[in-house]
Amino acid sequence: EKAEVKDGKVVETKSWLVRPEGNVYSYWNIQVHGIRPKQTENAPAFPEVWSEIMEYVKETPVLVAHNAAFDMSCIRKSLELYDLPTPDVDYFCTLRAARHNYDFYSNTLDALCMELDIPVGHHHRAGDDAEMCARIFLKEIRDAHWPDWSELNYCSGKL
């Protein structure tokens, strides 16, 4: 999933279905995202999708994710599984930034969108999650008057 931001606006969103090894899912994963083996039986494997994603990453100053530690660990494990190199990429975590800058009851993706008056899509649908996360990122930057995301070491890191 990706939401591309240029000049402070979401300009494009895109998501990919990826066929996992053996096209097998745990019951709990299906409960979270609703994707079933039938939907991914003809989808590309991670390496093929990753090569397309890397075309976007090459031009991206930072990857943004909500609970980035989880997403980055999944990417690292997938890269390791397929013996692919880990790119030198920075990431920013909107969850850590929200915990630091707001005092909301909940900092889940959909709760933050409601608190920050951001349109809520379908949570755990890749394209919607990416766009909601991008809009939260833009709002966090504006609300905190941050001159540069890279100064925020408490909510950023390296892939």
Side-chain angles (χ1 to χ4, degrees), residues 34-45:
I35 299 170
R36 299 178 182 282
K38 182 79 172 154
Q39 294 166 274
T40 56
E41 65 187 356
N42 296 314

Side-chain angles (χ1 to χ4, degrees), residues 28-71:
W28 298 111
N29 288 80
I30 292 172
Q31 297 309 305
V32 169
H33 54 60
I35 299 170
R36 299 178 182 282
K38 182 79 172 154
Q39 294 166 274
T40 56
E41 65 187 356
N42 296 314
F46 178 80
E48 185 177 338
V49 173
W50 184 248
S51 68
E52 186 176 341
I53 291 170
M54 281 305 299
E55 293 304 312
Y56 294 105
V57 170
K58 288 176 188 175
E59 300 173 15
T60 303
V62 62
L63 297 178
V64 178
H66 197 71
N67 193 12
F70 173 77
D71 290 333

